[in-house]
Amino acid sequence: QVQLVQSGSELKKPGASVKISCTGSGYSFTDFAMAWVRQAPGHGLEWIGWINTNTGNPMFAPGLTGQFDFTLDTSVNTAYLQIRNLKADDTAVYYCARGSAFDVWGQGTMVIVSS
Amino acid sequence: VMTQSPLSLPVTLGQPASISCRSSQSLVHSDGKTYLSWFHQRPGQSPRRLIYRVSYRDSGVPDRFSGSGSGTDFTLKISSVEAEDVGVFYCMQGTHWPTFGGGTKVEIK
């Protein structure tokens, strides 16, 4: 079946970076973009952006800083989200979701930023 | 901006429920289609898409869920609420940059 499996929870100090993975299976990985969404504790969903899995071209939500980076390793059907210079308010669950339709979601990766 | 109402919806099992989603701009794409989806997020789980392009139900979604609307105003209806429907429902527009509504929390009375 089609699924997205994300890497495990992370605990980071302010100023550090984190890299989250999302591995797709059950479908042709490069047929769909990979979107990234975050959800702060007790809050709603926010689209961060997506990456074209064919070209590697990223697109970020308007207004977001250059804190995020999307990369790929298509040899293992995996997309990565890197977040630099972490702050306390980056504490959230980060989801990957398939394509622009968001029809399949990963299980989420909790990132906690705390000194 | 996507505005959902109500923020909280206490419902009785077996009764109908309705959630509104309003966009600050038309969601009709240049291709003529309207990219408005509904998601359900149970506590501690990932969101699950229920409805896409206003009214198309995803595979496996019970037919008690239905979506309707056009332009800027959309509605998700549950014909008969079941216990498994608790959680937060989100609308999302994909016509422009993807934007989610603030969510409607459904709980059982």
Side-chain angles (χ1 to χ4, degrees):
Chain A
Q1 76 280 23
V2 176
Q3 62 177 350
L4 300 175
V5 178
Q6 299 183 224
S7 49
S9 299
E10 301 271 7
L11 173 61
K12 295 291 184 180
K13 294 190 183 305
S17 296
V18 67
K19 192 171 185 178
I20 299 165
S21 69
C22 171
T23 301
S25 61
Y27 71 100
S28 178
F29 185 76
T30 52
D31 281 353
F32 298 84
M34 190 69 74
W36 291 95
V37 175
R38 69 179 171 184
Q39 185 171 38
H43 286 75
L45 303 169
E46 179 186 16
W47 176 66
I48 298 171
W50 51 40
I51 185 166
N52 182 315
T53 53
N54 264 306
T55 64
N57 183 43
M59 195 79 69
F60 298 97
L64 284 188
T65 67
Q67 194 183 7
F68 301 97
D69 195 22
F70 305 146
T71 56
L72 299 168
D73 185 346
T74 55
S75 69
V76 289
N77 292 344
T78 300
Y80 300 93
L81 166 64
Q82 182 169 16
I83 313 170
R84 295 181 293 272
N85 190 23
L86 287 161
K87 303 179 291 293
D89 62 5
D90 292 317
T91 293
V93 176
Y94 291 82
Y95 294 100
C96 58
R98 191 175 74 160
S100 58
F102 299 80
D103 61 339
V104 180
W105 291 63
Q107 83 276 22
T109 297
M110 181 75 214
V111 175
I112 298 172
V113 183
S114 174
S115 54
Chain B
V1 177
M2 303 294 289
T3 303
Q4 286 183 233
S5 62
L7 294 180
S8 178
L9 184 57
V11 296
T12 301
L13 290 175
Q15 292 301 301
S18 179
I19 299 170
S20 171
C21 177
R22 179 165 293 178
S23 173
S24 58
Q25 57 185 315
S26 173
L27 297 186
V28 180
H29 193 273
S30 56
D31 65 8
K33 298 174 183 174
T34 301
Y35 295 94
L36 187 285
S37 300
W38 289 94
F39 297 84
H40 179 216
Q41 186 177 32
R42 294 189 178 108
Q45 295 188 15
S46 304
R48 173 198 181 195
R49 196 180 72 175
L50 302 175
I51 302 281
Y52 62 97
R53 283 181 48 206
V54 181
S55 61
Y56 294 89
R57 263 192 310 275
D58 273 277
S59 175
V61 174
D63 61 7
R64 64 178 182 274
F65 292 98
S66 64
S68 63
S70 63
T72 61
D73 290 300
F74 303 91
T75 302
L76 175 71
K77 291 184 179 176
I78 310 173
S79 60
S80 176
V81 172
E82 298 191 6
E84 65 181 17
D85 299 337
V86 298
V88 182
F89 290 82
Y90 296 94
C91 61
M92 187 208 80
Q93 68 82 13
T95 297
H96 315 288
W97 296 117
T99 311
F100 292 90
T104 295
K105 186 174 183 178
V106 169
E107 56 187 13
I108 305 301
K109 284 182 184 175

